Amino acid sequence: MSGHETSKGGVIRFLIDNSLLLVIGAVAALTWANLADRSGSSSYQDFIHYDVRNLWGGGEHHPPSPVSIDDHAASPSAGESAPADQAAAGATEHSEDAHGESHADGGHHWYSLGFLINDVLMALFFAIAAKEVWESLLPGGALSNPRKAATPLLATFGGIVGPALFYLAGAYATGTQAELGQGWAVPCATDIAFSYLVARLIFGAGHPAIAFLLLLAIADDAAGLMILAIFYPSAPIEPIWLLLTATAMGLAWLLRKLKVHSHWFYILGPGVLSWFSFYSAHIHPALGLVPIIPLLPAATSDLGIFAKAELQRDDTLNEFEHFWKTPVECILGLFGLANAGVVLSSVGTGTWLVLAGLLLGKPVGITAMTLLAEKGFRLQKPAGMDYRHVVTLGMVAGIGFTVALFVSVAAFKIPGATQDSVKMGALLSFGAAPLAILIAKLLSIRADSDDEDNDKETESDVAA
């Protein structure tokens, strides 16, 4: 990911570079949904299901059903039919019906705002995440040296298994395994942007814990993409459509051989084909651009995540990120607005299970696997890090937010009380930030000097 440039552009640039549009969108959604709930209005739900064809006079008004029915999902519990619970839905309509054919409006969901945000526009967000994963595997990338990356990779494994085990154990203990068990992957996510900002505040820009966290977060992104594709299809996967994915990849490879530089040819040609193949195969279409990303012409080395020097690169892959970075931040704001609107009364068992996974499972899993890596496999932590830093870093990684919110919608396809309670857990994972700051103070961790030299040192450490 390109380095942050907060020195120019004023407030708007600051909001964009620090991913704060997502927070603003989420806060606006929470406020809107709760005000609508108090007044008995369905305005928030109407917004999510808004037919964008109305913008040019071509749409029809379709009052949203209180509960969306999924051909492949179980019936919702009685509590999920309450209008207050439904007003905050914002679920991906493609996930509710694989092709929209059973909708009374005959495919109206293709034009709903929720579908366009969650299934179409968010494909660009996951494409940029895939770009970071792919570059990390290049020479000089964070994951290019297996020996140096081994400890953070094992910590990543702990940061996935730990939250999942805590979540599932809690579901069994509360007797909600049948209702909530499928959400085990929600607390496995780490929000790389917000965790990075909090880690810089706690450790300082030059501390080795920053590089360790970024390595962990990159690997977590890669695992998250695979979990979404494998465990959360919208319906039974139809492998025949993956032949179209292969065709799209072949076309991208041909464009690369022909030395086509502009990223537009790759996105509008092979990218659209790949997206449609995922949609038709019932793999979440938001992942549809991922297979194309490694085939875009790219530099032969990686400078490191958030490296400012990457802004000077003009290869196709970096051109893609440079063009879409700001629009994607705006898309994330829309994503927060369309998905975070849950009424405060939605707090329930799902909320506590997600928080247990993120605030307990993450630090326990990361710390335990780091200890195993050092004591069991004779691997090393980065110089300058001890277990005070590992425990604190584990709590920082408990900020799930963006991907956790996305997985909440993918795991619980029917809008209602269950989905909203899990979403609330994803939103409240921001509580990991003050907890991490408190832990750092209790463990006497002080931030290094946050100067430019340290910033460069961190970037080079990640790239090493």
Side-chain angles (χ1 to χ4, degrees):
M1 189 177 292
S2 301
H4 293 296
E5 289 185 307
T6 57
S7 60
K8 299 180 180 180
V11 175
I12 299 300
R13 189 74 254 168
F14 176 81
L15 294 176
I16 290 173
D17 286 340
N18 292 283
S19 298
L20 295 179
L21 292 182
L22 174 60
V23 176
I24 292 172
V27 171
L30 279 168
T31 304
W32 185 356
N34 282 275
L35 289 176
D37 173 58
R38 179 173 297 182
S39 64
S41 169
S42 63
S43 60
Y44 182 74
Q45 188 181 12
D46 292 341
F47 163 73
I48 295 165
H49 294 276
Y50 180 75
D51 186 338
V52 296
R53 292 175 296 180
N54 288 321
L55 295 174
W56 55 87
E60 299 178 18
H61 178 68
H62 297 276
S65 302
V67 178
S68 299
I69 303 301
D70 186 340
D71 293 340
H72 308 283
S75 298
S77 62
E80 292 178 350
S81 61
D85 290 329
Q86 303 313 316
T92 303
E93 294 187 12
H94 166 73
S95 297
E96 296 159 7
D97 182 333
H99 296 94
E101 294 167 356
S102 67
H103 288 253
D105 53 5
H108 163 68
H109 85 125
W110 274 86
Y111 303 98
S112 77
L113 194 60
F115 174 82
L116 292 175
I117 292 171
N118 287 354
D119 288 33
V120 180
L121 296 179
M122 282 297 286
L124 293 164
F125 166 77
F126 284 105
I128 288 180
K131 182 249 186 192
E132 300 301 342
V133 173
W134 175 248
E135 286 191 330
S136 72
L137 298 171
L138 298 175
L143 304 179
S144 63
N145 186 326
R147 184 170 181 80
K148 287 186 177 181
T151 301
L153 286 176
L154 284 170
T156 301
F157 179 74
I160 293 172
V161 173
L165 289 178
F166 269 74
Y167 181 99
L168 290 173
Y172 277 112
T174 56
T176 56
Q177 170 62 19
E179 179 188 3
L180 294 167
Q182 67 201 56
W184 61 269
V186 175
C188 295
T190 293
D191 191 300
I192 187 169
F194 291 114
S195 61
Y196 173 71
L197 292 174
V198 174
R200 280 175 60 103
L201 177 65
I202 293 174
F203 300 110
H207 197 281
I210 302 293
F212 191 96
L213 174 69
L214 292 176
L215 286 168
L216 185 152
I218 291 169
D220 189 85
D221 271 354
L225 293 175
M226 289 187 289
I227 287 171
L228 269 173
I230 296 170
F231 294 101
Y232 296 111
S234 60
I237 293 176
E238 296 185 14
I240 189 67
W241 284 102
L242 297 181
L243 292 175
L244 184 58
T245 311
T247 301
M249 295 175 69
L251 180 57
W253 177 84
L254 179 61
L255 289 174
R256 180 170 179 162
K257 283 294 182 182
L258 293 175
K259 300 186 184 303
V260 175
H261 179 81
S262 173
H263 75 273
W264 287 104
F265 288 97
Y266 295 86
I267 300 304
L268 295 179
V272 171
L273 282 178
S274 180
W275 182 92
F276 184 75
S277 71
F278 272 43
Y279 175 86
S280 300
H282 304 156
I283 299 171
H284 204 297
L287 304 178
L289 295 180
V290 171
I292 303 302
I293 294 302
L295 297 165
L296 270 64
T300 57
S301 63
D302 183 33
L303 298 176
I305 193 167
F306 297 126
K308 294 180 177 63
E310 199 173 74
L311 292 168
Q312 309 305 317
R313 287 185 162 179
D314 61 356
D315 56 273
T316 304
L317 190 55
N318 276 294
E319 176 195 85
F320 166 75
E321 186 194 25
H322 298 163
F323 182 89
W324 287 105
K325 182 180 184 295
T326 296
V328 163
E329 291 298 332
C330 297
I331 289 168
L332 287 175
L334 288 173
F335 172 77
L337 185 61
N339 290 276
V342 293
V343 293
L344 297 179
S345 59
S346 298
V347 173
T349 303
T351 308
W352 307 121
L353 293 182
V354 172
L355 289 177
L358 285 168
L359 304 185
L360 296 175
K362 274 282 184 185
V364 169
I366 288 172
T367 304
M369 290 307 296
T370 303
L371 185 64
L372 176 63
E374 184 179 37
K375 305 300 183 183
F377 299 119
R378 304 300 183 196
L379 299 171
Q380 294 182 345
K381 301 187 305 296
M385 276 188 69
D386 57 35
Y387 281 95
R388 296 177 305 143
H389 302 103
V390 174
V391 171
T392 306
L393 180 148
M395 182 58 74
V396 173
I399 304 174
F401 200 45
T402 310
V403 179
L405 193 58
F406 192 91
V407 176
S408 298
V409 178
F412 299 97
K413 299 176 176 63
I414 301 175
T418 299
Q419 186 194 78
D420 287 355
S421 71
V422 174
K423 280 185 180 182
M424 188 62 79
L427 294 172
L428 292 177
S429 69
F430 265 123
L435 285 175
I437 293 171
L438 177 61
I439 290 172
K441 288 187 177 296
L442 292 175
L443 297 178
S444 302
I445 295 174
R446 296 182 179 180
D448 290 344
S449 176
D450 189 10
D451 56 30
E452 187 71 19
D453 292 337
N454 280 342
D455 214 357
K456 292 178 181 178
E457 180 182 344
T458 297
E459 291 160 1
S460 62
D461 284 346
V462 176

